[in-house]
Amino acid sequence: MKQSLGTKTLLYPTPVLVVGSYDADGRPNVMTAAWGGIACSKPPCVSISLRAATASHSNIVARKAFTISLPSREQAAQADYFGLVSGRDADKFAVSGLTPLAAEFVDAPFVAEFPLVVECQVLQIHELGLHTQFVGEIKDVKIDTQCLDSEGHIDVSKLDPVAFVPEASAYFALGELIGPAHSIGKVFTAKPDS
Amino acid sequence: MKQSLGTKTLLYPTPVLVVGSYDADGRPNVMTAAWGGIACSKPPCVSISLRAATASHSNIVARKAFTISLPSREQAAQADYFGLVSGRDADKFAVSGLTPLAAEFVDAPFVAEFPLVVECQVLQIHELGLHTQFVGEIKDVKIDTQCLDSEGHIDVSKLDPVAFVPEASAYFALGELIGPAHSIGKVFTAKPDS
């Protein structure tokens, strides 16, 4: 039996998106957002939603660029901290002991220690309400080589990603492999029509 | 050391969004999408990105409504199947043995057996390229009562969510709790400025 929870922002798992940007003086900032995801395959795009009140919002409007750095499990506390304070009040890189590096293809910094980085150029901006949605075209993806297997494929266990579940308001590690996509559903296509 | 992977659509974890819609004749359809997420807190919105070639795209343009049903681990194969074939070629509910139910607040069906359902009214439509992004205002969220604990809070272990990792192209269960959000990062706010 289902029960209504009302009009909540509940969808899971959400990613933990550490958004990197430069301010007007070129100082690197990061904030953490869970509202976003891949938005298009061609051109490859991600969307992130930020409140207009954030320093990152102003930065991205001005520079038309941002990065997304994805933490591993052992960096979850740093990622959580990036969402707790404003870049106007603290140098979040210095406080957390992490290192800003300039992206290669866009005008924004990323977190050197995080295992995966997506470099994005702003393509569209949509005012939705409390949040502004920035659609960024992916200009490059960078991964720590130690998260690749011997054949150059991604080893998810080495990435050790962090997932966020709204309402539960908690971070989780990824667990067991359930199965390959575009594959485990074929059990139904093999069925005769009934 | 980081290595460039080029311009891939790689961000993780992504949700497994089973999108429900009615066609022109009122037949329920479902398809699975991983491109999407929460887009705004007020009004509460989700965004999903679909290719124009899909039956669901036509349905949602016409009816301005969709649902998102989220599978549990034991329903991952059905969710995968929903992404393998077109609703123009198969009655995916009949083949998978799942039940379409009419949403309460929007003109779209959901999957009765899946533990969480989000009912959405289309608010904005953005053409991004291969994919069209539909921003839907959340009109209701429904959850199976058996996924709530005795105090009415969400029990993530009972939801047993499915996550998708692009590039690895695989479904994963959620694993261990890392910690509470807006909390584990406070270890850095407590630090004296250095």
Side-chain angles (χ1 to χ4, degrees), chain A residues 2 4 39 49 80 140-141 182 185, chain B residues 4-5 39 49 80 114 140 182 185:
Chain A
K2 284 194 169 53
S4 171
S49 291
D80 189 55
D140 198 38
V141 176
H182 316 300
Chain B
S4 170
L5 299 174
S49 291
D80 189 55
F114 284 15
D140 198 38
H182 316 301

Side-chain angles (χ1 to χ4, degrees), chain A residues 11-33:
Chain A
L11 208 68
Y12 51 75
T14 73
V16 177
L17 309 169
V18 172
V19 178
S21 62
Y22 287 121
D23 74 7
D25 298 319
R27 280 181 300 225
N29 188 28
V30 271
M31 72 166 282
T32 300

Side-chain angles (χ1 to χ4, degrees), chain B residues 119-169:
Chain B
E119 304 187 6
C120 302
Q121 190 78 35
V122 172
L123 201 63
Q124 295 186 14
I125 299 178
H126 309 127
E127 298 299 340
L128 301 181
L130 182 63
H131 285 80
T132 304
Q133 185 191 53
F134 296 92
V135 176
E137 183 177 342
I138 297 171
K139 293 299 190 178
D140 198 38
V141 175
K142 291 178 170 64
I143 192 166
D144 279 352
T145 50
Q146 66 196 26
C147 297
L148 298 172
D149 66 20
S150 58
E151 292 176 333
H153 299 129
I154 289 175
D155 183 330
V156 178
S157 68
K158 292 176 180 170
L159 282 173
D160 204 3
V162 182
F164 173 62
V165 178
E167 281 298 297
S169 195

Side-chain angles (χ1 to χ4, degrees), chain A residues 146-160:
Chain A
Q146 66 197 26
C147 296
L148 298 173
D149 65 21
S150 57
E151 294 177 329
H153 299 128
I154 289 174
D155 183 330
V156 177
S157 69
K158 291 175 180 170
L159 282 173
D160 204 3

Side-chain angles (χ1 to χ4, degrees), chain A residues 100-116:
Chain A
L101 281 184
E104 189 177 7
F105 296 96
V106 306
D107 186 21
F110 66 86
V111 183
E113 291 83 356
F114 285 14
L116 194 113

Side-chain angles (χ1 to χ4, degrees), chain B:
Chain B
M1 202 189 85
K2 283 195 168 53
Q3 174 182 318
S4 170
L5 299 174
T7 59
K8 290 184 180 301
T9 45
L10 180 52
L11 208 70
Y12 51 75
T14 73
V16 176
L17 309 169
V18 172
V19 177
S21 62
Y22 287 121
D23 74 8
D25 298 319
R27 280 180 301 224
N29 188 29
V30 271
M31 73 166 281
T32 301
W35 293 176
I38 301 287
C40 187
S41 295
K42 290 184 185 178
C45 292
V46 302
S47 62
I48 55 167
S49 291
L50 307 179
R51 288 178 298 111
T54 61
S56 300
H57 183 287
S58 314
N59 294 352
I60 296 170
V61 166
R63 300 247 179 177
K64 299 283 185 292
F66 61 90
T67 62
I68 296 172
S69 302
L70 293 180
S72 280
R73 183 196 311 223
E74 70 267 24
Q75 296 149 341
Q78 282 94 335
D80 189 55
Y81 162 70
F82 292 157
L84 290 175
V85 298
S86 170
R88 296 194 185 97
D89 302 324
D91 180 340
K92 297 192 235 183
F93 279 104
V95 171
S96 65
L98 296 176
T99 313
L101 282 184
E104 190 178 6
F105 296 96
V106 306
D107 185 20
F110 67 86
V111 183
E113 291 83 357
F114 284 15
L116 193 113
V117 175
V118 183
E119 304 187 6
C120 302
Q121 190 78 35
V122 172
L123 201 63
Q124 295 186 14
I125 299 178
H126 309 127
E127 298 299 340
L128 301 181
L130 182 63
H131 285 80
T132 304
Q133 185 191 53
F134 296 92
V135 176
E137 183 177 342
I138 297 171
K139 293 299 190 178
D140 198 38
V141 175
K142 291 178 170 64
I143 192 166
D144 279 352
T145 50
Q146 66 196 26
C147 297
L148 298 172
D149 66 20
S150 58
E151 292 176 333
H153 299 129
I154 289 175
D155 183 330
V156 178
S157 68
K158 292 176 180 170
L159 282 173
D160 204 3
V162 182
F164 173 62
V165 178
E167 281 298 297
S169 195
Y171 301 111
F172 291 85
L174 279 201
E176 294 166 25
L177 175 70
I178 296 174
H182 316 301
S183 175
I184 58 173
K186 286 183 181 168
V187 62
F188 294 103
T189 58
K191 267 189 173 179
D193 279 359
S194 56

